[in-house]
Amino acid sequence: RCVQETALRVLGNIVTGNDIETQIVVDNGCIPLVMNLINEQSTAIRKEVCFFLSNVAAGTQIQIESILTCEDTFFPKLEWILQNDTNEVKHEALWIIGNIF
């Protein structure tokens, strides 16, 4: 888990860069891989997943669409987080919504 958490933090930091850097991460298929970790038991990993997604959602319309079209269950998962998760994870999840809309 420590490796996953660290890798997620690195990816999250890369997508805090410019749109070109974020697009490279998107083009290399990272969104579906990261999104698969949103159900992890580790609070730290779920928080990093939301941090990553919120930063991608702060990008271009194409980058936002890459999140929205990645998985049909994205919004139900996000809804579950907002209703049931820790405040720390909820905080990151709210940034996803804020950046999308």
Side-chain angles (χ1 to χ4, degrees):
R1 289 192 198 263
C2 183
V3 173
Q4 283 180 328
E5 186 179 336
T6 302
L8 284 168
R9 175 54 67 165
V10 168
L11 285 173
N13 286 334
I14 292 170
V15 297
T16 63
N18 62 42
D19 290 339
I20 294 169
E21 294 165 337
T22 300
Q23 193 60 48
I24 290 169
V25 172
V26 171
D27 289 345
N28 280 284
C30 290
I31 291 177
L33 298 173
V34 169
M35 192 124 15
N36 284 335
L37 298 173
I38 205 164
N39 293 325
E40 282 290 316
Q41 288 185 350
S42 167
T43 299
I45 289 178
R46 288 191 315 278
K47 179 185 172 206
E48 293 299 332
V49 168
C50 290
F51 175 76
F52 170 84
L53 293 172
S54 71
N55 285 312
V56 173
T60 66
Q61 187 62 37
I62 291 170
Q63 292 163 356
I64 293 169
E65 288 172 12
S66 69
I67 293 172
L68 299 177
T69 60
C70 178
E71 194 172 319
D72 292 338
T73 60
F74 170 67
F75 280 111
K77 289 177 183 179
L78 191 59
E79 181 181 15
W80 185 91
I81 286 172
L82 292 171
Q83 291 176 351
N84 301 294
D85 220 317
T86 66
N87 286 338
E88 191 174 30
V89 178
K90 287 177 184 178
H91 176 83
E92 293 298 333
L94 285 170
W95 277 105
I96 300 169
I97 295 169
N99 287 339
I100 287 175
F101 299 105

